[in-house]
Amino acid sequence: MDDFMAARSQMALSLGFHIIFACIGMVMPFFMAVSHFYWLRTKDEIYKNLTKAWSKGVAILFATGAVSGTVLSFELGLLWPEFMKHAGPIFGMPFSLEGTAFFIEAIALGFFLYGWDRFNPWFHWFTGVIVGVSGLASGILVVAANAWMNSPAGFDYVNGEYINIDPVAAMFNDAWFSQALHMCIAAFVATGFAVAGLHALMILKGKNIRFHNKAFKIAAIFATVAAVLQPLSGDISAKDVAQRQPAKLAAMEAHFHTEEAAPLILGGIVDEEKKEVKYAIKLPGMLSFLAHGDFKTPVTGLDQIPEDEQPPIAVTHYAFQIMVGLGMIMLLISIIYFVALWKKPEWLTSRWLLKLFVAATPMGYIAVEAGWTVTEVGRQPWIIHGVMRTADAVTPMPGIIYSFYMYTAIYVSLSIIVIFMLYRQIKMVDKLYDNQP
């Protein structure tokens, strides 16, 4: 592995680790707020205990996410100095605003964690809502910065110089809305199914049934509603990518040849040498419809993209298939859950339905990781689409591979510690609320 690939791998590792905690920070406070609201309205102690239990988990994950996010900010400058030299003044606004949102989130979380029986009950609840709103704002602002890399705006690039800089136009670039919408809904899907799955597992084990039932219902409602909305945001994103990054769309679908009534490819094995996808299911005209809203409009294939500007095809395609496939499975589970709520209430207590949610526990986060792989790998070879190549942005310093090994060891260690702490927290909750009426 050369230093360039080591730098990319380190950044991918850091992003892949941090994005899980970012999703949790964007979503879990809203779960807490709903549970807390029920406590204030009903005075049912289970909701109070649930809110406290969730808040302790959020505190653990918030601290870890803060550390990994700080590391990422340093890595941008250390690994990609040429990129930051030019891009920093242009897209720095969303990062600075994200820092403000992060501080608000940290302060509000402190108020919430230590405000029990000290603040007015509704003000205390409101601090929890602020944690969620500021966490969601942080995520949107970071995604806006990433969207700028996919859809550069707010400057003129003339003779190798970046002039006429407009940070506001850069932040509200053409891609920010579709990416932010898709990411926010994905965070609710991933976190909702993960939380619902964990509580479903505890119900199946027969532990603190009422406690975990209430927790499961809150998480499952968020997860299933988001899973139904996600294909709509995916359609918006696909049409946006088709207009701005035809090479990425072509790689996502392994669409080698420009053609009318382009088929949508499901599955298959990519053969880049023969420029074909073997053993795939092809739906005629569907790619044209998804990209342009018409079954006949031609879709640009990789044959229209210079080879040195094509992203890695197989990785992008497989990641896209994983994301969509898992999304469809979670959508199916959501539909089944809605049928249970409206027509088949006896299903809600069935073991098979709970087992479906347990099986779906990791699916949302795997889909999120796959989606970010599509976003980042599909943009290659550009770090700023159409303006700066990734290879031109990397640090000239040698020995990056050792940094990659070191960070890998750190993140593996952090993962083990976080899993241990969360496991211990779950055991403490079950022991504390065991045999709760």
Side-chain angles (χ1 to χ4, degrees), residues 1 27 31 40 46 49 71-72 91 125 175 182 211 216 219 222 262 271 281 301 311 323 367 383:
M1 182 186 295
V27 173
F31 294 6
L40 292 174
I46 288 182
N49 295 335
V71 169
L72 271 172
F91 81 153
W125 172 81
H182 198 57
F211 177 90
F216 171 79
F222 273 102
D271 188 333
I281 299 172
M323 179 187 70
I383 192 168

Side-chain angles (χ1 to χ4, degrees), residues 297-367:
T297 303
V299 176
T300 302
L302 290 161
D303 57 352
Q304 298 295 312
I305 310 296
E307 285 196 11
D308 66 342
E309 295 183 8
Q310 292 181 9
I313 300 165
V315 173
T316 307
H317 176 71
Y318 294 141
F320 180 67
Q321 294 293 309
I322 290 170
M323 179 187 70
V324 173
L326 292 176
M328 291 298 101
I329 292 173
M330 290 183 286
L331 174 61
L332 178 60
I333 294 173
S334 301
I335 293 172
I336 293 172
Y337 185 68
F338 289 141
V339 171
L341 285 175
W342 293 330
K343 298 292 185 180
K344 299 285 186 178
E346 64 273 16
W347 289 3
L348 296 174
T349 55
S350 63
R351 294 182 65 84
W352 64 265
L353 182 62
L354 293 172
K355 288 179 179 179
L356 283 179
F357 276 91
V358 172
T361 300
M363 288 184 185
Y365 287 120
I366 295 173

Side-chain angles (χ1 to χ4, degrees), residues 203-416:
I203 295 169
L204 288 171
K205 290 183 175 182
K207 296 184 177 181
N208 302 325
I209 301 288
R210 287 193 64 222
F211 177 90
H212 291 295
N213 261 328
K214 292 184 183 298
F216 171 79
K217 185 173 183 180
I218 292 172
I221 290 294
F222 273 102
T224 52
V225 170
V228 171
L229 295 175
Q230 187 67 314
L232 301 177
S233 72
D235 181 65
I236 294 172
S237 293
K239 286 180 168 59
D240 181 61
V241 169
Q243 295 296 323
R244 294 182 299 94
Q245 295 177 292
K248 178 184 285 187
L249 180 68
M252 287 160 56
E253 279 294 321
H255 183 58
F256 287 99
H257 306 290
T258 302
E259 58 183 312
E260 293 184 356
L264 183 69
I265 296 177
L266 303 178
I269 299 174
V270 177
D271 188 333
E272 296 190 33
E273 290 187 3
K274 294 183 178 180
K275 300 186 183 304
E276 63 180 13
V277 184
K278 300 177 180 177
Y279 317 116
I281 299 172
K282 297 184 178 182
L283 306 179
M286 283 303 298
L287 182 58
S288 292
F289 178 75
L290 291 175
H292 303 293
D294 182 273
F295 288 99
K296 296 294 185 180
T297 303
V299 176
T300 302
L302 290 161
D303 57 352
Q304 298 295 312
I305 310 296
E307 285 196 11
D308 66 342
E309 295 183 8
Q310 292 181 9
I313 300 165
V315 173
T316 307
H317 176 71
Y318 294 141
F320 180 67
Q321 294 293 309
I322 290 170
M323 179 187 70
V324 173
L326 292 176
M328 291 298 101
I329 292 173
M330 290 183 286
L331 174 61
L332 178 60
I333 294 173
S334 301
I335 293 172
I336 293 172
Y337 185 68
F338 289 141
V339 171
L341 285 175
W342 293 330
K343 298 292 185 180
K344 299 285 186 178
E346 64 273 16
W347 289 3
L348 296 174
T349 55
S350 63
R351 294 182 65 84
W352 64 265
L353 182 62
L354 293 172
K355 288 179 179 179
L356 283 179
F357 276 91
V358 172
T361 300
M363 288 184 185
Y365 287 120
I366 295 173
V368 166
E369 298 285 5
W372 273 100
T373 300
V374 172
T375 299
E376 297 304 297
V377 176
R379 190 181 60 246
Q380 301 307 313
W382 306 102
I383 192 168
I384 307 175
H385 181 66
V387 178
M388 178 185 288
R389 290 178 179 265
T390 308
D392 296 331
V394 71
T395 177
M397 293 296 291
I400 300 300
I401 190 169
Y402 301 109
S403 173
F404 169 61
Y405 292 150
M406 181 184 71
Y407 275 88
T408 300
I410 290 172
Y411 284 131
V412 169
S413 300
L414 275 174
S415 298
I416 294 171

Side-chain angles (χ1 to χ4, degrees), residues 7-23 64-65 67-73 75-76 79-80 83 95 139 142-143 145-146 149-150 183 365 368-377 379-380 383 404 407 411:
R8 288 186 61 192
S9 299
Q10 182 175 323
M11 202 71 194
L13 176 69
S14 301
L15 280 167
F17 184 84
H18 177 71
I19 197 170
I20 295 175
F21 301 101
C23 287
T64 310
V67 172
S68 59
T70 302
V71 169
L72 271 172
S73 64
E75 283 181 329
L76 280 172
L79 297 178
W80 314 102
F83 167 69
F95 278 128
V142 170
V143 171
N146 178 268
M149 298 164 69
N150 289 302
M183 184 64 233
Y365 287 120
V368 166
E369 298 285 5
W372 273 100
T373 300
V374 172
T375 299
E376 297 304 297
V377 176
R379 190 181 60 246
Q380 301 307 313
I383 192 168
F404 169 61
Y407 275 88
Y411 284 131

